[in-house]
Amino acid sequence: EPEVTQTPSHQVTQMGQEVILRCVPISNHLYFYWYRQILGQKVEFLVSFYNNEISEKSEIFDDQFSVERPDGSNFTLKIRSTKLEDSAMYFCASSGTLNTEAFFGQGTRLTVV
Amino acid sequence: AQKVTQAQTEISVVEKEDVTLDCVYETRDTTYYLFWYKQPPSGELVFLIRRNSFDEQNEISGRYSWNFQKSTSSFNFTITASQVVDSAVYFCALLSGGYNKLIFGAGTRLAVHP
């Protein structure tokens, strides 16, 4: 069964460093998303991406964040200068069309020290 | 504004008990979609069901059933004859407005004990 895959599963980084979280969405999906979940809290929307551009972003998604689809398969989230409060589980998701279910990857746990 | 409320933070049951997880949503849109996701201890988010606002039929899938009531803005989830493997955090979510983002509730942690 097709699935969304994320790498790495866990990343530890020093405050102020740049990190890139990688995702391979389901191959025939057109809509891509990043969500995050601070430990023990709700899942929060960060950004959606369609047709090679951001279609919506939340207040959390400030100038420190960027997304890219560098080739036909990968979808990345970059955090330029990490802060302690960026520590969270980051989920990538994809959906085939609008209004359909999003399928989530297994998540990348980011720990900023 | 769109909002999802899961008032039950934690539920603990003994195996084989039935359990209902509550979900109340708010939206001004007439077209919207509701979802349930399961987050087992391993951490991934597993899609369970999607419902659109025009389809109020209840759905049953094995031991799982969902009760959608627009009159009370609720989309409740019942597990019949619960099993230890059902232990997880369950999230209700709403897709509305720009149709581009899921708005999640805070989740209900279900613990099923043998």
Side-chain angles (χ1 to χ4, degrees), chain B residues 57-107:
Chain B
Q57 270 196 321
N58 291 332
E59 180 152 340
I60 299 174
S61 175
R63 296 183 296 107
Y64 295 170
S65 61
W66 291 269
N67 184 336
F68 176 28
Q69 296 211 343
K70 284 179 80 169
S71 59
T72 55
S73 297
S74 65
F75 186 43
N76 297 337
F77 173 30
T78 297
I79 302 174
T80 303
S82 58
Q83 299 176 0
V84 173
V85 293
D86 296 327
S87 297
V89 180
Y90 291 86
F91 290 97
C92 180
L94 169 69
L95 192 68
S96 180
Y99 302 112
N100 248 333
K101 63 182 183 187
L102 285 166
I103 297 163
F104 283 82

Side-chain angles (χ1 to χ4, degrees), chain A:
Chain A
E1 187 173 321
E3 58 180 18
V4 176
T5 56
Q6 290 184 243
T7 54
S9 55
H10 190 191
Q11 175 138 12
V12 181
T13 188
Q14 293 224 327
M15 193 168 53
Q17 295 295 305
E18 173 183 287
V19 294
I20 297 176
L21 310 183
R22 302 180 191 280
C23 168
V24 178
I26 294 173
S27 63
N28 60 347
H29 282 184
L30 300 176
Y31 296 84
F32 314 115
Y33 313 88
W34 284 100
Y35 288 80
R36 80 169 186 192
Q37 183 182 30
I38 294 172
L39 187 64
Q41 297 186 23
K42 67 167 68 173
V43 180
E44 301 173 289
F45 169 78
L46 291 178
V47 66
S48 58
F49 192 86
Y50 169 72
N51 201 25
N52 282 319
E53 60 182 28
I54 291 174
S55 42
E56 191 169 354
K57 60 183 181 179
S58 72
E59 295 168 354
I60 304 167
F61 194 87
D62 61 22
D63 292 344
Q64 293 298 313
F65 292 88
S66 62
V67 289
E68 197 177 34
R69 189 153 161 83
D71 52 42
S73 58
N74 289 285
F75 179 50
T76 62
L77 173 70
K78 182 194 290 187
I79 309 175
R80 281 191 194 83
S81 178
T82 50
K83 308 185 191 84
L84 293 176
E85 54 264 37
D86 293 327
S87 295
M89 179 78 95
Y90 287 82
F91 289 103
C92 173
S94 68
S95 61
T97 60
L98 270 180
N99 310 324
T100 56
E101 56 272 22
F103 290 92
F104 285 78
Q106 78 278 23
T108 293
R109 180 164 297 287
L110 176 66
T111 303
V112 182
V113 296

